[in-house]
């Protein structure tokens, strides 16, 4: 789904530290700047870290999924396809930031959802207990 990147940007500046090994695209090849790919990768990681703050498993698994998607597209050569993949990454980041709210379990067994200003204008659908029980 997303443009090719290697390396894991999940901690601090590690993604910047590995330089050209991270980015599957090279600027001198006439393709769009490798920096755009790195920005898209980091943008997705930031969105998931913010959305799933406090949920170590979700942060780790979403980072692994993002990396997997970028790795799967590492060898995309078409500038048109790269642009589409970058647009998809931007859309995914926006979706994660504005449409997903991490519910927190209260000691009494209920969940609390606290949308932020990032969620303004989005539609929030909270599944009923009946729907949740059917999925379990």
């Amino acid at each position: 789904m997303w443009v090719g990147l290697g390396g894991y940007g999940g901690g601090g500046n590690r993604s910047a530290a590995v330089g050209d090994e991270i980015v599957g695209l090279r600027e001198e090849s006439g393709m769009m700047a490798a920096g755009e790919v790195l920005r898209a990768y980091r943008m997705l990681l930031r969105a998931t870290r913010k959305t799933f703050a406090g949920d170590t498993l979700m942060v780790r698994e979403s980072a692994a999924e993002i990396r997997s998607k970028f790795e799967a597209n590492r060898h995309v050569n078409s500038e048109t396809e790269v642009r589409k993949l970058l647009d998809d990454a931007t859309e995914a980041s926006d979706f994660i930031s504005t449409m997903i709210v991490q519910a927190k379990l209260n000691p009494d067994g209920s969940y609390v959802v606290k949308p932020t200003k990032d969620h303004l204008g989005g539609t929030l659908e909270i599944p009923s207990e009946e729907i949740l029980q059917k999925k379990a």
Side-chain angles (χ1 to χ4, degrees), residues 43-56:
M43 176 178 55
L44 280 161
L45 290 175
R46 276 191 302 273
T48 57
R49 281 194 303 259
K50 183 177 178 184
T51 298
F52 302 118
D55 188 340
T56 307

Side-chain angles (χ1 to χ4, degrees), residues 78-98:
S78 162
E79 191 165 342
T80 303
E81 184 64 20
V82 170
R83 174 54 53 203
K84 181 189 176 309
L85 291 166
L86 286 171
D87 290 345
D88 288 348
T90 299
E91 185 178 327
S93 176
D94 290 343
F95 182 86
I96 291 165
S97 297
T98 61

